[in-house]
Amino acid sequence: MPVLSPLADAAGIALDAIARLADRLADRRGLAPPRLALPPEVLDDLRGVFGDAIDPAAVVIRRGHVPGVPHPRAFALPGLIYLGSDPGIVGTDRPRATPTLVHELAHVWQGRHVGPRYVPRALFEQVRLGRSAYDWRRVLDRPAGTAALRGGRGGWPIEAHAQLVSDAYAARYGFARAAAGPVDARDRRAMAAALAGLRAGVVAPRPGASV
């Protein structure tokens, strides 16, 4: 959407600025939920997923919801994550990031490599498609689905891409939530392509899109 992209970028920048200001004000007043510190083991795992494409330690990650808005779901802006009811890290002997935290960090990655337009695009997908917005298999099932395994900038639906990354991470580390349903050869290729794309700074194109 070349004509709408500048408007979407402007909307994303405005939303990010407002959210960061609100977070800073809440933090100064002691109202913001505590920040999540990422142990070295977790940072090692995240480097295995994202490479050097983002620095998770530089992201403000809050353990909880927006002050005064008890919303259980997590959300992310380019440099700010609220985890809602998700703990962010599980395990004691060997702590690991939760798939939800990886999903939200995938949005941080999108903010850097897709641009601030990812924010209004993600909101539009959620309103239009509901939970189906996260169904990456639905994207691959389209007639030109194999095109999604080629490299290229932009294209994949925002939430489906983040969920694919999250499920790839979950499958790698044996989380019970690893990609609902059996993972077949096509799914494994899609997961491998998504993780390779993160480290290379590219998003696989939307099926049927020209690149």
Side-chain angles (χ1 to χ4, degrees):
M1 49 181 182
V3 176
L4 296 180
S5 291
L7 294 176
D9 280 338
I13 291 169
L15 287 170
D16 182 45
I18 292 169
R20 284 172 180 269
L21 176 60
D23 181 74
R24 285 196 297 270
L25 292 175
D27 191 42
R28 288 173 187 168
R29 295 176 181 178
L31 300 175
R35 290 184 64 164
L36 178 68
L38 300 179
E41 299 93 334
V42 170
L43 288 172
D44 285 344
D45 289 347
L46 294 175
R47 273 191 291 270
V49 174
F50 296 98
D52 296 324
I54 62 170
D55 179 7
V59 180
V60 175
I61 304 172
R62 299 276 185 198
R63 293 189 292 116
H65 54 75
V66 177
V69 185
H71 194 291
R73 291 179 59 187
F75 78 90
L77 292 166
L80 175 65
I81 291 174
Y82 273 74
L83 286 168
S85 60
D86 189 87
I89 295 173
V90 293
T92 52
D93 294 338
R94 200 337 179 152
R96 293 200 187 278
T98 61
T100 295
L101 176 55
V102 173
H103 179 106
E104 300 309 323
L105 286 170
H107 286 317
V108 173
W109 182 97
Q110 290 165 347
R112 173 168 294 185
H113 296 280
V114 177
R117 71 192 65 176
Y118 93 85
V119 178
R121 279 177 56 184
L123 292 172
F124 177 74
E125 289 172 8
Q126 292 171 30
V127 170
R128 185 169 66 92
L129 299 172
R131 294 303 301 175
S132 294
Y134 300 84
D135 186 358
W136 51 267
R137 284 193 177 99
R138 174 177 157 273
V139 179
L140 293 178
D141 284 340
R142 294 173 186 171
T146 53
L149 301 180
R150 299 196 304 267
R153 283 196 178 276
W156 257 70
I158 296 299
E159 292 295 357
H161 174 252
Q163 191 61 40
L164 174 57
V165 170
S166 173
D167 285 341
Y169 168 83
R172 171 179 288 186
Y173 292 113
F175 281 84
R177 205 198 84 176
V183 177
D184 61 19
R186 184 195 65 165
D187 295 342
R188 286 191 291 272
R189 288 195 300 273
M191 289 176 174
L195 295 182
L198 291 178
R199 293 186 287 272
V202 297
V203 187
R206 179 176 59 251
S210 59
V211 294

